[in-house]
Amino acid sequence: MQTRQAIQSLKQLKDEAQQEGLRLQADDRFSSWKGRLQSVLTRSLGVDHHLTQAFIKNDYSLMAFTDSTPDSAWDQAFLSGVSRALGIIDAAVFELEQAGTSDDAADETAFDPDLWAHVQTHVQNENWQAVASQTAIFVEDRVRQWCGDPKDRDGRTLVGKGLFAKILANDGQFRLGKEAGEWEGWRGIGMGFTQALGNVDRHNIQKRADAKRYAFGVLGVGSLILTQLRHQHGEDLVLDE
């Protein structure tokens, strides 16, 4: 969920509770309000965030009572619970506003332009699994295309680890870096990218709380490989531009 949208939703839910007061106590209305608020907190902060957990554990009823407990005590307990929830909303809005500048917008100029164009829609839709998987697919495909579709000894198109092992070999035309240590380092990055990230994200659906951070990490590594190839071998690459 985009930060601005989350902040707006939280403020609307706060206004709703303040305007409704005890009328919100009806089962269906309160269940709807509570469910919507928990959804916004979970999507914007994560289920394990201390504010989300505080809201989940918040109580709206008396912890102890007797047959003579007046109805007003139940009403007061409910309003106290709502008041605590409103405090959680305020804290969440504050945290989101503090993080909003860096969290809302990705600087597209920080990534390889072709790669960014390929995943931009997924970033905007916050489909982080697709950002990671499509980055892995695009980088391998683009590297293969740029480097002339290299083949193995049997004439088959190289994929994955084998592709990067060949094009970034010490004696390869497209090796990266200026000396042997750097050549090996860049080859390790390329092979590691397809082994550790590409194979996982292309063939599996990962469910993780840090999906956004992970997706941008994959995007960053993929962009780094393409950027370095452009930088060192731009004149020799088979560019479709």
Side-chain angles (χ1 to χ4, degrees):
M1 173 175 280
Q2 291 289 338
T3 301
R4 292 189 185 92
Q5 180 185 352
I7 292 173
Q8 181 181 2
S9 296
L10 289 171
K11 289 181 176 179
Q12 289 175 344
L13 288 163
K14 178 181 179 181
D15 289 343
E16 181 179 335
Q18 290 177 324
Q19 292 170 9
E20 292 295 322
L22 283 175
R23 289 179 296 177
L24 188 67
Q25 197 170 7
D27 288 343
D28 55 344
R29 300 177 72 176
F30 178 62
S31 295
S32 172
W33 179 83
K34 184 179 179 183
R36 283 179 283 139
L37 180 48
Q38 183 171 328
S39 176
V40 175
L41 290 171
T42 301
R43 293 178 61 196
S44 59
L45 297 176
V47 69
D48 295 324
H49 193 280
H50 70 93
L51 291 175
T52 306
Q53 286 299 308
F55 177 74
I56 292 173
K57 296 174 183 177
N58 189 30
D59 193 60
Y60 304 86
S61 60
L62 289 174
M63 299 300 294
F65 57 91
T66 66
D67 292 340
S68 60
T69 300
D71 290 343
S72 60
W74 291 96
D75 291 341
Q76 185 56 49
F78 177 78
L79 291 176
S80 295
V82 171
S83 180
R84 289 190 294 271
L86 297 182
I88 292 171
I89 290 177
D90 287 338
V93 168
F94 174 81
E95 184 155 337
L96 290 169
E97 287 177 339
Q98 294 300 304
T101 300
S102 60
D103 199 41
D104 255 352
D107 181 5
E108 62 185 72
T109 63
F111 302 101
D112 177 83
D114 291 348
L115 175 57
W116 177 257
H118 184 71
V119 303
Q120 183 176 16
T121 299
H122 299 304
V123 172
Q124 293 171 344
N125 292 335
E126 300 184 23
N127 187 348
W128 306 122
Q129 170 66 30
V131 172
S133 62
Q134 287 301 311
T135 294
I137 292 170
F138 181 87
V139 169
E140 182 173 325
D141 179 77
R142 190 50 51 100
V143 167
R144 184 183 299 108
Q145 173 190 319
W146 281 359
C147 298
D149 192 17
K151 311 291 184 181
D152 65 13
R153 293 180 179 178
D154 297 321
R156 295 172 298 191
T157 295
L158 285 167
V159 297
K161 175 185 175 182
L163 171 66
F164 286 96
K166 181 168 184 175
I167 65 171
L168 300 181
N170 285 10
D171 58 352
Q173 177 185 358
F174 300 102
R175 68 188 183 193
L176 298 176
K178 297 181 178 179
E179 54 188 39
E182 294 180 19
W183 301 341
E184 294 174 6
W186 279 106
R187 186 168 65 254
I189 291 175
M191 294 170 64
F193 176 79
T194 190
Q195 287 181 281
L197 305 177
N199 289 338
V200 172
D201 292 306
R202 284 181 299 181
H203 306 302
N204 300 279
I205 296 177
Q206 295 201 72
K207 295 181 179 180
R208 45 193 301 165
D210 59 350
K212 178 179 180 180
R213 188 176 302 115
Y214 175 82
F216 273 103
V218 176
L219 184 61
V221 176
S223 177
L224 177 64
I225 294 171
L226 298 182
T227 297
Q228 190 66 14
L229 277 169
R230 286 183 189 271
H231 175 70
Q232 282 194 237
H233 304 292
E235 295 182 357
D236 299 321
L237 299 178
V238 183
L239 300 176
D240 183 18
E241 298 178 337

